[in-house]
Amino acid sequence: GTEKAIMTGATHVEVDAYLTKDNQIAIMHDGNIDRTSNGSGNVESYTLAELQQFQLDKFSPREKIPCLEDIIEVCKGTNVVLVIEVKSNKIKIVEVIAQKLKELDFMDQVVFISFNTGILGELKATLPEIPTANLNEARTSNMAAILYWMGTFNTGVDTHYTHISAADDKYVLKDRGIMGWYWTYDPISTANSAIKNGITGITNNHCNYFYEFAKKIEGVSFTLAAGADLQKQDFEVTVTYYDGFQ
């Protein structure tokens, strides 16, 4: 899934992290493995080796339950930012992730998000150089409280896309240099509306949706004769799409 997202031009890939019984980082959306694998039970009640005896069987081809190292191996050497949602409530997971990121030389491509404010506080203390975002509810109606906890936890806003108006995203967050992230745009038509309203932090479940969108438009140098009518000139540009094609 991570490979496919990168191939189709995703700028960020989000995964969920848990701490196994032997202090390894397992990647799984749910807190248990029942729904998406041929096993059952809670992720954090297994060692990594025990977890990897099971296979993810919701889609084909089947594969083992990945660990953090597996995901980093796919992302390394690309420009993709790995967004790690820390779903574990065990504070020790921060120490383990920090050690692995340093060992794998992957500090510059990571963002952390979490609902757990204890985890966010530990991330601030342990890895202050890595951006974080608070997933707890943020609304237009409580912007003062939001700005307070952003300072407390050294974190940004990552909330449901219906909670904050486009105006507050622009005038309260962006004007302070803060990029809001919003989830989850599904159906994808909701993302189109967000784009028209100037929202840039779009999280969705359709990694291939934007691959035909223009990512970058660059002008090509040209010489214009003095007195020429600009309205009658043709300008050449290079368009780079999210899938990398020009």
Side-chain angles (χ1 to χ4, degrees), residues 72 76-77 98-110:
I72 288 176
K76 206 163 187 182
Q99 181 180 352
K100 289 183 179 295
L101 292 179
K102 290 170 183 175
E103 288 175 354
L104 296 169
D105 191 23
F106 200 73
M107 297 283 286
D108 296 337
Q109 282 178 249
V110 178

Side-chain angles (χ1 to χ4, degrees), residues 14-198:
E14 189 261 359
V15 297
D16 302 319
Y18 292 89
L19 187 67
T20 65
K21 200 165 62 173
D22 57 337
N23 292 327
Q24 299 297 315
I25 309 299
I27 303 301
M28 174 68 68
H29 180 273
D30 300 351
N32 62 61
I33 63 174
D34 301 45
R35 182 175 65 89
T36 54
S37 82
N38 58 359
S40 63
N42 293 329
V43 176
E44 296 192 329
S45 63
Y46 288 102
T47 66
L48 182 61
E50 289 169 342
L51 271 179
Q52 294 192 325
Q53 292 177 8
F54 304 114
Q55 287 189 315
L56 301 172
D57 63 354
K58 193 172 179 65
F59 300 104
S60 180
R62 292 187 174 197
E63 58 184 67
K64 68 179 182 180
I65 294 172
C67 61
L68 181 61
E69 289 89 339
D70 295 326
I71 302 297
I72 288 176
E73 183 179 348
V74 173
C75 295
K76 206 163 187 182
T78 74
N79 292 322
V80 167
V81 174
L82 180 61
V83 182
I84 301 174
E85 179 178 348
V86 181
K87 282 191 170 176
S88 177
N89 291 319
K90 298 178 179 178
I91 298 297
K92 184 174 176 61
I93 193 172
V94 174
E95 175 191 335
V96 175
I97 291 179
Q99 181 180 352
K100 289 183 179 295
L101 292 179
K102 290 170 183 175
E103 288 175 354
L104 296 169
D105 191 23
F106 200 73
M107 297 283 286
D108 296 337
Q109 282 178 249
V110 178
V111 170
F112 290 110
I113 59 177
S114 183
F115 284 98
N116 188 314
T117 54
I119 293 289
L120 292 172
E122 189 68 16
L123 285 165
K124 176 183 177 180
T126 306
L127 294 167
E129 66 271 45
I130 294 184
T132 65
N134 189 340
L135 292 170
N136 286 293
E137 185 171 299
R139 289 185 178 272
T140 288
S141 58
N142 68 337
M143 293 304 292
I146 294 167
L147 294 172
Y148 175 79
W149 59 241
M150 288 174 67
T152 302
F153 299 116
N154 189 30
T155 190
V157 172
D158 196 337
T159 192
H160 194 273
Y161 73 90
T162 61
H163 290 176
I164 293 182
S165 69
D168 277 337
D169 174 78
K170 175 176 173 56
Y171 295 116
V172 180
L173 298 181
K174 283 182 181 169
D175 281 1
R176 283 182 165 85
I178 300 160
M179 180 178 176
W181 285 88
Y182 306 104
W183 43 265
T184 299
Y185 290 93
D186 202 354
I188 198 65
S189 59
T190 58
N192 295 333
S193 298
I195 292 168
K196 290 177 183 177
N197 287 325

